[in-house]
């Protein structure tokens, strides 16, 4: 309801009214990471990136569970993208420290989709080595479609890691020599 009210206020060019609605939503006790991420998106849309980043940082501080993992990893991705766009290295570093601190919890989820979110987050932030470690875990968990990484612009720092080419070679079927 808060999202809809804020969008309606913005459509009528009532930015002050939208800000009041968003602040009320953010101030409610017990809002989870999903709502924080959605409200952060509205703040970003309304050109309030500092408030968006603050909400995203709150979202990633929630306990990581299978139920909220998707929202938390969306917060990491969105936060790092927004911080990079703003050239806010301090915010990027905070997101990455938080993500690095969750490595054990991430592994316990046993879901390579979240490992792939971590791969993208680390790669966007220029941490190819960390991205590669997460990609290896995803591959060990059964992920096999690596082709897209070779052309995805956000995966550049991952592709620059020496171990990436070796991982690709190890995943491709051997081609028999021509007689």
């Amino acid at each position: 309801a808060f999202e809809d009210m804020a969008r309606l206020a913005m459509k009528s060019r009532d930015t002050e009214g939208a800000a009041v609605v968003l602040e009320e939503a953010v101030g409610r006790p017990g809002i989870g990471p999903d709502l924080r991420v959605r409200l952060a998106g509205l703040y970003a849309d309304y050109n309030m990136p500092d408030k968006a980043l603050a909400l995203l940082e709150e979202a990633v501080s929630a306990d990581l569970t299978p139920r909220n993992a998707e929202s938390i990893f969306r917060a990491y991705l969105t936060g790092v993208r927004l911080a990079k766009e703003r050239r806010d290295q301090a915010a990027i570093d905070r997101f990455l420290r938080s993500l690095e601190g969750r490595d054990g919890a991430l592994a316990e989820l046993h879901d390579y989709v979240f490992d792939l979110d971590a791969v993208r987050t680390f790669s966007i932030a220029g941490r190819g080595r960390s991205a590669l470690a997460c990609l290896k875990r995803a591959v060990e968990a059964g992920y096999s479609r690596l082709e897209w990484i070779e052309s995805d612009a956000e995966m550049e720092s991952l592709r620059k890691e020496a171990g990436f080419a070796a991982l690709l070679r190890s995943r491709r079927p051997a081609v028999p020599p021509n007689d």
Side-chain angles (χ1 to χ4, degrees):
F2 286 105
E3 283 180 273
D4 294 337
M5 290 170 49
R7 288 183 199 282
L8 185 59
M10 284 306 292
K11 279 185 179 179
S12 65
R13 305 221 185 279
D14 181 8
T15 55
E16 193 173 301
V20 167
V21 169
L22 289 171
E23 290 301 318
E24 184 179 336
V26 169
R28 293 187 67 115
I31 70 168
D34 184 57
L35 183 55
R36 288 184 194 284
V37 170
R38 292 191 331 255
L39 293 173
L42 291 173
Y43 274 127
D45 289 348
Y46 302 152
N47 202 23
M48 295 183 242
D50 292 335
K51 290 186 182 240
L53 283 171
L55 270 178
L56 293 167
E57 287 188 53
E58 289 174 18
V60 301
S61 71
D63 289 336
L64 182 62
T65 68
R67 288 189 68 175
N68 68 12
E70 182 178 345
S71 297
I72 289 174
F73 282 98
R74 193 168 0 115
Y76 280 119
L77 276 168
T78 305
V80 167
R81 283 178 177 139
L82 182 57
K84 185 174 181 179
E85 179 183 302
R86 295 179 43 78
R87 294 181 173 87
D88 186 343
Q89 190 60 47
I92 291 170
D93 291 342
R94 287 190 302 273
F95 281 109
L96 295 182
R97 274 193 307 275
S98 171
L99 183 53
E100 289 164 347
R102 291 183 182 261
D103 192 58
L106 175 58
E108 288 177 15
L109 289 173
H110 302 290
D111 190 333
Y112 63 70
V113 170
F114 303 125
D115 284 314
L116 293 173
D117 287 339
V119 168
R120 184 174 295 279
T121 300
F122 282 124
S123 187
I124 290 168
R127 299 271 181 91
R129 185 173 300 143
S130 297
L132 183 59
C134 292
L135 182 60
K136 285 179 179 178
R137 184 171 49 224
V139 167
E140 289 168 7
Y143 187 72
S144 61
R145 298 190 59 200
L146 303 175
E147 308 80 35
W148 63 272
I149 297 173
E150 294 178 280
S151 61
D152 189 311
E154 290 183 326
M155 297 297 174
E156 183 178 352
S157 72
L158 170 61
R159 289 192 300 270
K160 289 180 179 179
E161 287 298 314
F164 176 69
L167 180 63
L168 278 182
R169 283 191 303 275
S170 75
R171 304 307 299 171
R172 289 194 174 126
V175 178
N178 290 336
D179 292 330

